[in-house]
């Protein structure tokens, strides 16, 4: 049983790495099998299709990315309001990783554009969970829900800055490595000050 579970894990790990680096449609199942060192029979023992394997890889990426992101933000600042700015320092750290190749969830939602597709839905759920975490920080910092610039509005604004920084860094990595996060942080400071001043 342990060997079977280990082979499944190898398969998902290899798929995650390849899908993140090379895309979903461009990565054939044979390439994943070669990288994982498993037979096609092993794949179909655990997954009925490539799409199921993609979903497993996305679930693993979601869990790892959010855990690392939240730990990083919380390590950088103790005060919830300061953590709202630390978000962008943590994004900058991620952008500086040698393996950074953009957001796997943005890429997945682009390749599987139909909103009813389970892969698109899994990508949207990741974004919803990230926004939920940011909103929690906003509320812990003392901003309540209200018209215009309440907790939900500020969380959405900060998430939009995060997404813009990710895409800009992915599209223009040479010109932008690390600077989009710093620029987004400056814009975030203006939005946070405005929201808390109201």
């Amino acid at each position: 049983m342990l060997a079977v579970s280990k082979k499944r894990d190898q398969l998902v790990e290899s798929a995650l790495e390849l899908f993140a680096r090379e895309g979903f449609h461009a990565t054939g199942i044979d390439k994943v099998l070669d990288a994982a060192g498993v037979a096609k029979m092993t794949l179909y023992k655990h997954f009925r299709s490539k799409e199921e394997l993609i979903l497993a890889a996305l679930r693993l990426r979601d869990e790892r990315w959010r855990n690392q992101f939240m730990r990083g933000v919380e390590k950088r600042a103790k005060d919830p309001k300061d953590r709202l700015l630390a978000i962008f320092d943590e994004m900058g750290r991620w952008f500086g990783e040698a393996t950074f190749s953009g957001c796997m969830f943005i890429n997945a939602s682009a390749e599987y554009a139909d909103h009813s597709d389970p892969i698109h839905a899994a990508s949207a759920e990741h974004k919803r969970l990230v926004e939920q975490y940011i909103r929690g920080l906003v509320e812990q910092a003392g901003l309540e829900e209200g018209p215009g610039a309440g907790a939900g509005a500020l969380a959405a604004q900060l998430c939009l800055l995060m997404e813009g920084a990710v895409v800009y860094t992915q599209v223009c990595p040479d010109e932008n490595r690390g600077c989009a996060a710093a620029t987004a942080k400056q814009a975030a400071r203006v939005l946070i000050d405005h929201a808390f001043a109201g």
Side-chain angles (χ1 to χ4, degrees):
M1 184 69 178
L2 186 60
V4 171
S5 174
K6 190 178 175 193
K7 284 188 175 183
R8 183 192 183 280
D9 292 347
Q10 280 175 242
L11 199 50
V12 176
E13 289 281 357
S14 297
L16 174 57
E17 187 181 326
L18 286 166
F19 293 149
R21 192 175 65 235
E22 300 179 16
F24 298 93
H25 293 313
T27 303
I29 281 298
D30 288 341
K31 193 166 190 177
V32 176
L33 295 174
D34 286 346
V38 300
K40 193 167 275 193
M41 190 175 70
T42 304
L43 169 71
Y44 292 113
K45 211 179 270 186
H46 299 288
F47 304 101
R48 287 176 295 182
S49 64
K50 180 182 175 182
E51 284 68 28
E52 280 196 3
L53 178 59
I54 291 171
L55 286 169
L58 288 174
R59 279 192 290 272
L60 181 61
R61 177 63 176 161
D62 169 64
E63 180 186 332
R64 283 185 180 166
W65 191 91
R66 284 189 303 112
N67 284 339
Q68 184 175 27
F69 175 68
M70 290 186 287
R71 277 197 311 270
V73 168
E74 286 156 21
K75 213 185 263 187
R76 289 175 185 277
K78 299 300 172 208
D79 179 73
K81 194 171 177 186
D82 292 339
R83 284 178 174 169
L84 295 175
L85 291 172
I87 287 167
F88 298 94
D89 297 323
E90 186 58 22
M91 297 294 284
R93 181 207 58 75
W94 176 39
F95 298 165
E97 288 181 356
T99 56
F100 177 79
S101 56
C103 173
M104 198 169 173
F105 301 93
I106 293 173
N107 297 343
S109 65
E111 289 197 44
Y112 295 85
D114 183 345
H115 288 214
S116 66
D117 190 295
I119 293 168
H120 192 102
S123 302
E125 176 65 4
H126 167 78
K127 296 301 181 186
R128 188 191 68 76
L129 291 169
V130 172
E131 185 168 346
Q132 186 179 68
Y133 169 68
I134 305 301
R135 182 172 177 154
L137 291 180
V138 172
E139 289 171 348
Q140 289 166 32
L143 186 64
E144 296 176 3
E145 196 47 79
L154 180 58
Q157 290 164 353
L158 296 177
C159 285
L160 283 172
L161 286 174
M162 290 168 65
E163 298 303 328
V166 171
V167 172
Y168 195 74
T169 302
Q170 181 179 3
V171 174
C172 309
D174 296 335
E175 301 89 339
N176 184 53
R177 190 63 78 173
C179 92
T183 303
K185 184 178 179 178
Q186 291 173 344
R189 194 185 301 277
V190 173
L191 292 170
I192 291 164
D193 288 348
H194 176 73
F196 281 90

